[in-house]
Amino acid sequence: MTRYERRRDVDILLLDVEMGAMDGVALAKAVRKAGGTMQIVFVTGYSDYIAEGYDVEALNYLMKPVDAAKLFDVLDKAVARMRRDSRCLDLQCAGGLMRIPLADIRYLDVRRNYVTVHADRDYTVKRPLGEFEAELGDGFCQVGRAMIVNLRRIRCVGRSSVQLTDGTTPPLPRGAYEPLNRAIIDQT
């Protein structure tokens, strides 16, 4: 069954398909590995894979038969997250105004008086890092005096560096390990 509907100016596509050789968890892992920020909701008759749903940051895991009210509550939550993730950072660069979706930003770092925003490409502007912290809001954490990292893009935190989902490993300043781990725990 495939159903399309429009709710609160957001398109929602519900798919109920036979997956064949690939299961829903494997598909969700592939989406996350590719950097997809879409909201994932598992709807199934089996509870065996609930723990794996957490690994792919699934929004929810609904058991069949699904109550319509519960489904729409979950979809409303997905819409709220999508709107939050669609916020942008506006940068005045040499080439003009650049709008960068917050979900695309991996981290920001400072070199001298310039901040580099690392996203799909790097954008460097002359602006204090503190101004960015207020604009970025929840989901970002200032690490030391010279870096802000997107908490949703962290794969793992080491004592001297943080590994991001795209494989980059920016260095961590001394003393940043504990506060960064606390920020990750508080965010989730």
Side-chain angles (χ1 to χ4, degrees):
M1 171 193 85
T2 302
R3 191 173 95 215
Y4 171 84
E5 76 178 67
R6 187 149 183 92
R7 293 190 87 220
R8 297 186 187 157
D9 300 325
V10 176
D11 295 320
I12 297 173
L13 180 64
L14 302 173
L15 297 174
D16 185 5
V17 295
E18 202 50 50
M19 296 292 291
M22 179 183 276
D23 64 11
V25 173
L27 176 62
K29 285 180 180 178
V31 166
R32 291 296 185 235
K33 186 174 183 180
T37 58
M38 69 180 61
Q39 298 303 307
I40 297 172
V41 177
F42 289 103
V43 179
T44 183
Y46 305 100
S47 62
D48 301 344
Y49 301 103
I50 289 176
E52 291 183 60
Y54 288 107
D55 293 340
V56 295
E57 299 176 31
L59 179 64
N60 211 314
Y61 199 99
L62 300 174
M63 296 296 295
K64 291 180 182 177
V66 177
D67 175 59
K70 175 67 174 170
L71 174 63
F72 286 113
D73 284 345
V74 170
L75 293 177
D76 287 341
K77 188 175 178 182
V79 167
R81 281 196 179 181
M82 288 168 41
R83 284 194 177 127
R84 179 196 70 203
D85 290 345
S86 68
R87 292 182 18 234
C88 292
L89 176 67
D90 294 331
L91 294 178
Q92 190 63 47
C93 297
L97 180 69
M98 303 298 297
R99 299 201 83 208
I100 306 165
L102 296 187
D104 291 352
I105 297 172
R106 298 184 321 266
Y107 69 102
L108 298 85
D109 63 353
V110 176
R111 296 229 168 96
R112 297 195 178 155
N113 294 329
Y114 293 90
V115 173
T116 301
V117 178
H118 301 274
D120 57 340
R121 64 181 204 118
D122 293 347
Y123 303 90
T124 302
V125 294
K126 187 171 184 174
R127 194 168 146 196
L129 188 65
E131 287 181 12
F132 287 101
E133 186 177 25
E135 266 186 80
L136 296 170
D138 292 342
F140 288 83
C141 177
Q142 184 160 352
V143 181
R145 290 181 290 150
M147 184 168 66
I148 296 176
V149 65
N150 185 341
L151 297 173
R152 292 177 198 90
R153 294 298 199 106
I154 294 175
R155 179 172 289 144
C156 69
V157 179
R159 290 278 176 195
S160 61
S161 67
V162 57
Q163 184 181 27
L164 304 178
T165 54
D166 69 340
T168 58
T169 55
L172 286 179
R174 196 174 0 179
Y177 176 79
E178 293 294 331
L180 184 56
N181 277 312
R182 175 59 44 205
I184 291 169
I185 291 167
D186 291 346
Q187 184 65 30
T188 56

